[in-house]
């Protein structure tokens, strides 16, 4: 993959009509911070006083047994939990200094800034080109030359361009599972997010496709903040800079990945990493 492509500026004709609404200063783009974050599904508390700071241009892995709150936490970062009935959120989630649960926040614009890729690839039943152009069109980009550039840049940055450049009109659902997942990453990148959320995005893929996604994530962090849920301890150790261990809705331990894996401070963390539960 051509890493330089990740930093290429957009054509000056590519103007996002709503870009200014969520523009933050460079200093404000350095982290996501949660403060005493609690989340309830009705009477069930799924997150308990989660306070954590996630640094920019790093890969942060969220690990822990099934049902411990990892994916729930991930979805609080772009308010995907809003789509679920009887959800109540307490505390604050800050992107820079913007409280994303403030009533004044435009949620569609937030999700443009904080993109998400799910466990199972979910390409739209339309052409490869139209999958990538879908988001930019929604946000007001209509000029064909601008869309062409966005589609190519996004597919290059997702390490998929060489495989699909001659069949952009082909239906995206005809791609292999690994290609579909990279397409979904490209679709997320097309609206120029600053933060990318990956919810077990390699768990349904074969080893070769998983390796391609891992290599891609390592390169993308030069320009994006990446938070990933994974059950694969080896994957977290390979590609993340920091790791948070969740258990029963709480963050038990959060540290640099090498430190957490090699010298965990809490017995629960060590027991999970050594396979005693989970």
């Amino acid at each position: 993959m051509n890493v330089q492509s990740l930093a290429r500026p957009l054509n000056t004709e590519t103007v996002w009509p709503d870009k200014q609404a969520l523009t933050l200063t460079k200093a404000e783009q350095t982290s996501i911070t949660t403060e005493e974050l609690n989340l309830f599904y009705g009477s069930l508390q799924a997150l308990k006083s989660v306070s954590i700071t996630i640094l920019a241009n790093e890969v942060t892995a969220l690990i822990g047994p099934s049902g411990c709150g990892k994916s729930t936490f991930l979805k609080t970062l772009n308010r995907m939990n809003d789509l679920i009935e009887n959800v109540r959120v307490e505390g604050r989630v800050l992107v820079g200094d913007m409280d994303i649960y403030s009533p004044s926040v435009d949620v569609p614009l937030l999700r443009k800034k904080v993109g998400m890729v799910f466990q199972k690839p979910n390409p739209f039943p339309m052409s490869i080109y139209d999958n990538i152009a879908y988001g930019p069109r929604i946000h007001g980009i209509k000029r064909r030359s601008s869309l062409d550039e966005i589609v190519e840049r996004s597919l290059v940055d997702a390490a998929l361009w060489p495989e699909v450049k001659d069949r952009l009109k082909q239906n995206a659902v005809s791609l292999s599972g690994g290609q579909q997942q990279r397409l979904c990453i490209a679709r997320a990148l097309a609206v120029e997010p600053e933060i990318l959320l990956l919810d077990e995005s390699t768990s349904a893929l074969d080893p070769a496709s998983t390796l391609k996604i891992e290599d891609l994530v390592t390169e993308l962090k030069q320009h994006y903040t990446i938070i990933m849920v994974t059950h694969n301890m080896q994957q977290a150790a390979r590609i993340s800079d920091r790791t948070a261990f969740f258990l029963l809705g709480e963050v038990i331990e959060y540290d640099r990945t090498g430190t957490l894996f090699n010298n965990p401070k809490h017995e629960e963390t060590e027991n999970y990493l050594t396979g005693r539960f989970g």
Side-chain angles (χ1 to χ4, degrees), residues 141-157:
I141 303 299
K142 304 299 182 184
R143 190 187 296 271
R144 179 70 185 213
S145 60
S146 298
L147 290 171
D148 287 348
E149 181 181 0
I150 291 169
V151 169
E152 179 176 350
R153 174 180 52 82
S154 301
L155 289 169
V156 168
D157 290 353

Side-chain angles (χ1 to χ4, degrees), residues 71-89:
S71 293
T72 295
F73 174 75
L74 197 72
K75 292 172 184 176
T76 65
L77 304 181
N78 70 348
R79 292 185 54 170
M80 289 296 292
N81 286 310
D82 288 10
L83 305 175
I84 303 173
E85 291 186 5
N86 298 319
V87 166
R88 185 172 87 257
V89 176

